Amino acid sequence: MKIVVCVKQVPETTEVKINPETNTLVREGVASIINPFDMYAVEEAIRIKEKLGGTVTVLSMGPPQAAESLRELIGMGADDAILLSDRAFAGSDTLATAHALAKGIAKIGEVGLILCGKQAIDGDTAQVGPEIAENLGIPHLTYVKKVNEIAADHLIAERMNEEGYERVQIPLPALITVVKEINEPRLPSLKGMMRAKKAVITTWTAAMIDADPAKIGLKGSPTWVKRIFIPELKCQGQVFEGTPEEQVQALVDAIVGRKIV
Amino acid sequence: REQEITIDKTLYRGVWVFAEQRQGKLANVAFELLGEGRKLADQLGEPLVALLLGKEVAGIAQQLIAQGADKVLLAEAPELESFLEDPYAQVIVDLARQERPNIILMGATATGRSLAPKVAARLGTGLTADCTGLEVDVAEKNLLQTRPAFGGNLMATILCPNHRPQMATVRPKVFKPLPAASARTGEVVSVDLSHNVWDVRAKILEVVNEVGPAVNLEEANIIVSGGRGLCDPKNFALVEELAETLGAAVGASRAAVDAGWVPYSHQVGQTGKTVGPKVYFACGIHGAIQHMAGMQSSDIIIAINKNPDAPIFKIATFGIVGDVLEILPLLNKEFKKALGK
Ligand SMILES: Cc1cc2nc3c(=O)[nH]c(=O)nc-3n(C[C@H](O)[C@H](O)[C@@H](O)COP(=O)(O)OP(=O)(O)OC[C@H]3O[C@@H](n4cnc5c(N)ncnc54)[C@H](O)[C@@H]3O)c2cc1C
Ligand SMILES: Cc1cc2nc3c(=O)[nH]c(=O)nc-3n(C[C@H](O)[C@H](O)[C@H](O)COP(=O)(O)OP(=O)(O)OC[C@H]3O[C@@H](n4cnc5c(N)ncnc54)[C@H](O)[C@@H]3O)c2cc1C
């Protein structure tokens, strides 16, 4: 089976700074990594390939330097890596990102399964996966914690919700987004690292994937970020004083007095 | 960013709220959305509409009116019995194309975060994720959607000025429901689905409830959470005992989960659950930003930590500087006494 894993390059930290003059994120001096949730998606894809045969392609949209982190995934066992990179993609929101990635997947052709992480640790929206599936007209499952069964034409998986999980069957081709409970990603093997060093990372531009210019980049993004700001923490509360017994008593009085419990 | 506005916004009216239900029981977030939606609809001078999808759920439509809806669009069919993306999206997209709402809100729950992007992509409109603040610009009829990103380190206010409907998922427990008013009136409109050609590709084989309703963290009124400060797995029982006394759910920091003291389903934070109870106890939890991202909208936060400089005290309503192993048994005893248990 042909499997595609969508991986996003994200800043290594979530402790962000804002340039007060331009009101934009300061990206300089922050190293990039593959979105941690996407590592679980890559691992799961490799496991499925080991079971069913086929290929694993990692696909990313981002600036040219994203190519280097894709190499690491070839070291883990991905067969090839494709980077969608073009100035025309800049400023894409989730809808525009999903359009570009879906076009990339369509160009790869005959893909049986697509995996995404649960969400990216920077944008945090968890929207790109389901939006790719909708663009391709295929079904999707989110928050998958286990793939129970997979064959050429269907997949059975456990998807998490607030109360537990559901075991669901969907026909392939389909897209799933995975949570960290699903597996423990492997480290790159020595052989893999050798292969990764020599691997050619394919780059596709917007024109090469036949992306609709009206559906990518800033122009193709219905959402606009109007303002970004660092949240204020709530003001300092009350720290009780006295012996542990006195402190506990004061706390219990404060809570019981409010008739919450 | 400047962009020419090319749509006629006067064609779009109404604030729609997706009334999430499971087995005929409405999720709390549906009432929270109605409370907030009522405010937005009144400011815009537009109706507030609840979308109720399910099998034989007409009986709960009145609750939505009592909690603020002017109208309930009721879509009943066997295909809608349990939540599945395909049939739910199909019904909502068809209704949105016919009725042209201005705004559609859904809970940022497992259901809402899977359904909303499918609907938004099919409608070709924008979607703002996991909002914690909503306001309207009445003149432009735009929704100002504020949401956390970067694990809560950053807030962004997002607009969708040139596409309709404006769509957002809204974090549970952030907004307050209105008090139920059984005298409120509204209309319930049944959607005719008799000619629908259903699109159902997925099949639910099994439903497993791991957490009883009492320990469902997202819905809990009180949560007692423990962190690495408990030092030892057996001390986690102190957290569980206090939770039991208070009828509370048990939460945990990632450090406690990674140490294997408690299952991942109890983890609170950026990569765990987002909670907003009335009272949140953080016992031996440092207050890493990733933890706080999941609990800072709790009404009352109680921190128990031996380090007075732990960042958790910055957001705590009440704090006790001390050893959790000593404080927790005392607290349990005093609460039992106060509650007559
Ligand atoms: C502060 C801030 C707030 C934002 N809020 C919104 C918003 O509310 N709505 C909106 O539409 N956009 C929003 N955006 C834009 C959005 O974050 C990104 O531009 C979009 O490209 C990716 O969304 P995400 O990071 O949320 O990814 P998610 O949807 O969380 O990512 C889920 C999965 O999709 C795949 N994926 C995502 N991006 C890529 C990629 N570039 N290449 C390959 N795979 C990928 C990965 O598998 C990933 O695990 C926001 C951006 C910022 C900076
Ligand atoms: C991408 C990413 C995602 C993450 N997601 C999450 C998440 O979802 N949830 C989460 O919780 N974390 C998350 N983390 C981890 C987070 O950064 C912290 O490492 C974690 O929250 C620490 O847990 P802790 O406070 O229990 O432990 P510690 O940081 O070790 O703190 C223990 C605290 O207990 C106190 N203490 C010690 N002994 C006692 C005692 N006897 N009595 C009283 N107090 C005592 C100490 O003073 C200290 O403040 C994430 C990290 C990353 C990088």
Side-chain angles (χ1 to χ4, degrees), chain A residues 8-9 25 28 33 49 56 64 101 105-106 171 213 220-221 226 250:
Chain A
K8 185 182 185 189
Q9 214 189 23
L25 296 180
E28 289 78 41
I33 52 166
K49 179 184 91 165
V56 173
L101 291 170
I105 292 163
S221 297
K226 182 177 187 281

Side-chain angles (χ1 to χ4, degrees), chain B residues 127-162:
Chain B
L127 174 62
T128 306
D130 204 22
C131 297
T132 55
L134 294 173
E135 274 169 72
V136 281
D137 170 348
V138 175
E140 297 292 327
K141 291 190 174 293
N142 283 340
L143 186 61
L144 280 68
Q145 308 159 92
T146 298
R147 63 171 299 248
F150 288 83
N153 284 276
L154 191 78
M155 301 296 290
T157 301
I158 308 237
L159 289 183
C160 177
N162 210 9

Side-chain angles (χ1 to χ4, degrees), chain B residues 228 253-254 267-271 286 290-291 305 323-324:
Chain B
R228 182 146 47 201
S253 73
R254 179 162 131 182
Q267 183 176 317
V268 172
Q270 183 195 354
T271 47
H286 193 60
Q290 295 92 350
H291 187 81
N305 198 303
D323 184 345
V324 276

Side-chain angles (χ1 to χ4, degrees), chain A residues 5-10 25 27 35-39 41 59-62 83-84 89 91-98 101 115-132 176-178 221-225 227-228, chain B residues 113 125-131 145 147-150 154-158 167:
Chain A
V5 188
C6 297
V7 299
K8 185 182 185 189
Q9 214 189 23
V10 296
L25 296 180
R27 297 197 187 261
N35 178 39
F37 289 108
D38 302 350
M39 301 302 279
L59 175 67
S60 188
M61 183 186 90
L83 177 66
L84 308 181
F89 294 133
S92 292
D93 72 354
T94 61
L95 192 69
T97 301
L101 291 170
L115 294 102
C116 288
K118 166 190 136 174
Q119 69 191 62
I121 61 162
D122 52 353
D124 273 347
T125 68
Q127 290 173 181
V128 170
E131 291 186 334
I132 294 172
I176 61 173
T177 77
V178 305
S221 297
T223 63
W224 303 5
V225 178
R227 182 167 96 93
I228 52 176
Chain B
R113 291 189 85 172
T125 193
L127 174 62
T128 306
D130 204 22
C131 297
Q145 308 159 92
R147 63 171 299 248
F150 288 83
L154 191 78
M155 301 296 290
T157 301
I158 308 237
M167 288 187 63

